[in-house]
Structures are given as structure tokens and as C-alpha cells.
Amino acid sequence: MRILQKPIFKKVVKKLYPSQKQELDEAISAILQTPTLGVLKLGDLVGVRVYKFRMQGQQMLLAYLFDETTETLTLLALGSHENFYRDLKKWM
């Protein structure tokens, strides 16, 4: 399976501590095992899935797209709930 990262996602991941990156890697591997794990969004974010997980006690949201035909996972954004969907709509 191919994994792509959008620049917004890379920018956030770059600022994480190693322990946080390890928790993020665990979340991504869970998504790779079951690509439909995240909640499918409607409206402006049609096709986007959001997976919620805990990172050092704080709930984080990971937005991604999964294309079944090409087996491609595109990581769009990572962040806390505050303004997450507003910013995601702006980037889309």
C-alpha cells in the first residue's frame, strides 16, 4: 500500500516529539490494517475519513483519504479538535 503525505500533515508531524511520533505511527498502522476505521465525513469534506485517537492523553484527529482502486492512503491533516474541521475545509 502506498502512503502519501500532504504538506500540512508533514508540517505538524515535524514538530512532534519522538514519543508522539510513535503513537502516531501506531494510529497509522491501525488505519493501514482497516482503512475504513475512520468516520466518513459528508458535506464539504465528502470522501474524507477522520480517525480519533489519544496522543499523550489528548484526543487527536487524523484526516485521511483512502483510494481502493490504487491502494493509496493520503494523510491530510493531524490536530486537536479545536478548529480542525474549519482548517481542513480551508486546505481542501
Side-chain angles (χ1 to χ4, degrees), residues 10-70:
K10 286 182 184 179
K11 186 176 179 181
V12 173
V13 171
K14 187 176 181 180
K15 297 178 184 179
L16 296 178
Y17 292 109
S19 61
Q20 292 174 319
K21 287 182 182 180
Q22 183 179 5
E23 292 177 356
L24 176 61
D25 288 342
E26 291 171 6
I28 292 172
S29 66
I31 292 171
L32 288 173
Q33 291 175 2
T34 312
T36 59
L37 193 59
V39 177
L40 188 60
K41 296 299 171 183
L42 303 173
D44 292 342
L45 299 174
V46 160
V48 174
R49 290 187 176 271
V50 175
Y51 177 62
K52 296 180 182 182
F53 67 101
R54 289 237 175 255
M55 182 184 290
Q56 294 186 339
Q58 182 180 9
Q59 183 175 359
M60 299 295 284
L61 285 80
L62 173 61
Y64 66 95
L65 293 170
F66 179 68
D67 187 7
E68 295 175 7
T69 58
T70 60

